[in-house]
Amino acid sequence: MRIDIITCLPKLLDSFFGHSILKRAQEKGIAEVVVHDLRDYTQFKHRQVDDYSYGGSAGMVLMVEPIDRCISTLKNEREYDAVIYMTPDGKTFDQQTANRFSLFKNIIILCGHYKGVDERARQALITHEISIGDYVLSGGELAAAIVSDALIRLIPGVLSDETSALTDSFQDSLLAPAVYTRPADYKGMIVPEILLSGNEKEIEKWRFENALQRTKERRPDLYDKFTRENDPDAK
Ligand code: 6GU
């Protein structure tokens, strides 16, 4: 997968993609993240990429022209499956969307800033508008990093234990069960005995029940959805 990220703050993203799983995925050639500075695509002096909003509402708006030039340059180089704009008024990102997007070969992610981007850039160039939740960030960079991380870790070969992405919270609409490591007794807090038993079938059963219980307590909305979808008498 290749992800091209367009931003006015490229330095904000460099360190994030230069570390851990994301760095290794890039070294293995499984994923490639290329960060583009929107200011390289403007024809205005002082590398200006934003301007006052027509009609006079507060805040600066990213201009359509440099965005168009940057996206057009990329599209001339290869085909893209999606051009995603990170915006708080987009569709809320979730694991299902991550699964779907992780199958894409090439994507562009445009980071908004200030008061957003000129509406014409959204209409003419963007295929998907994505938010990461109901709160406002000062820019789309962190959101783009979050979406990229969620996609890249799903690509086969990125995680060393390939099954581990399948057992994530949300992957089967339940939260993940509790996990423990050594020591088995820490200050009197003991690991559930079944996990030390070596009985794989019983352990699997314990994990499922733990996941179910946790989901019921922490996310009743997910729990209700899960029980509805898995109730043989329903529908
Ligand atoms: Cl994608 N961008 C910004 N600026 N704020 C957000 C967001 C995105 N998602 C939630 N809040």
Side-chain angles (χ1 to χ4, degrees):
M1 170 182 264
R2 174 178 166 127
I3 304 178
D4 289 279
I5 303 182
I6 305 170
T7 170
C8 338
L9 293 170
K11 284 202 183 118
L12 209 55
L13 292 167
D14 288 346
S15 136
F16 183 78
F17 290 106
H19 292 93
S20 74
I21 285 177
L22 300 180
K23 185 181 182 189
R24 255 181 294 132
Q26 293 187 77
E27 283 168 354
K28 285 195 212 162
I30 300 171
E32 187 181 4
V33 179
V34 187
V35 178
H36 305 272
D37 187 343
L38 190 60
R39 293 183 197 281
D40 293 341
Y41 294 86
T42 178
Q43 289 175 309
F44 296 94
K45 49 180 183 194
H46 310 305
R47 307 197 353 123
Q48 184 186 352
V49 290
D50 58 345
D51 210 337
Y52 294 101
S53 128
Y54 278 126
S57 83
M60 303 294 271
V61 175
L62 288 181
M63 292 187 282
V64 58
E65 193 181 352
I67 294 170
D68 187 16
R69 284 161 57 93
C70 182
I71 291 176
S72 300
T73 303
L74 290 171
K75 280 182 172 171
N76 281 336
E77 291 166 5
R78 68 194 62 74
E79 289 216 13
Y80 285 92
D81 302 298
V83 183
I84 300 163
Y85 172 48
M86 301 309 306
T87 175
D89 61 11
K91 183 173 177 286
T92 309
F93 189 66
D94 59 12
Q95 191 61 46
Q96 214 184 330
T97 312
N99 292 344
R100 203 155 47 84
F101 284 6
S102 74
L103 302 174
F104 289 153
K105 195 161 166 283
N106 300 314
I107 63 173
I108 293 172
I109 303 181
L110 172 65
C111 303
H113 226 249
Y114 315 109
K115 273 288 156 191
V117 310
D118 190 301
E119 187 65 22
R120 292 164 294 183
R122 298 172 68 157
Q123 283 175 2
L125 303 166
I126 299 301
T127 61
H128 301 73
E129 300 192 325
I130 296 293
S131 161
I132 59 162
D134 287 345
Y135 42 83
V136 179
L137 305 170
S138 41
E141 285 76 16
L142 288 175
I146 284 168
V147 168
S148 302
D149 185 311
L151 302 192
I152 290 171
R153 63 189 297 289
L154 289 174
I155 303 170
V158 170
L159 299 183
S160 47
D161 177 1
E162 272 208 38
T163 62
S164 67
L166 295 174
T167 55
D168 286 341
S169 282
F170 300 111
Q171 208 49 280
D172 53 10
S173 342
L174 288 178
L175 301 182
V179 291
Y180 299 86
T181 185
R182 285 189 295 181
D185 181 340
Y186 184 69
K187 296 182 177 174
M189 296 183 283
I190 53 167
V191 172
E193 213 175 308
I194 195 83
L195 297 178
L196 312 176
S197 71
N199 184 335
E200 273 180 45
K201 217 170 144 207
E202 285 301 310
I203 290 172
E204 208 41 55
K205 197 167 144 225
W206 181 89
R207 289 206 167 119
F208 176 71
E209 273 158 18
N210 186 272
L212 209 57
Q213 190 55 35
R214 272 185 172 230
T215 310
K216 191 175 178 182
E217 284 165 13
R218 295 166 189 224
R219 292 292 302 272
D221 57 322
L222 291 180
Y223 180 78
D224 285 347
K225 186 162 178 277
F226 183 83
T227 50
R228 253 183 289 121
E229 284 171 3
N230 292 278
D231 179 356
D233 296 332
K235 265 203 293 184

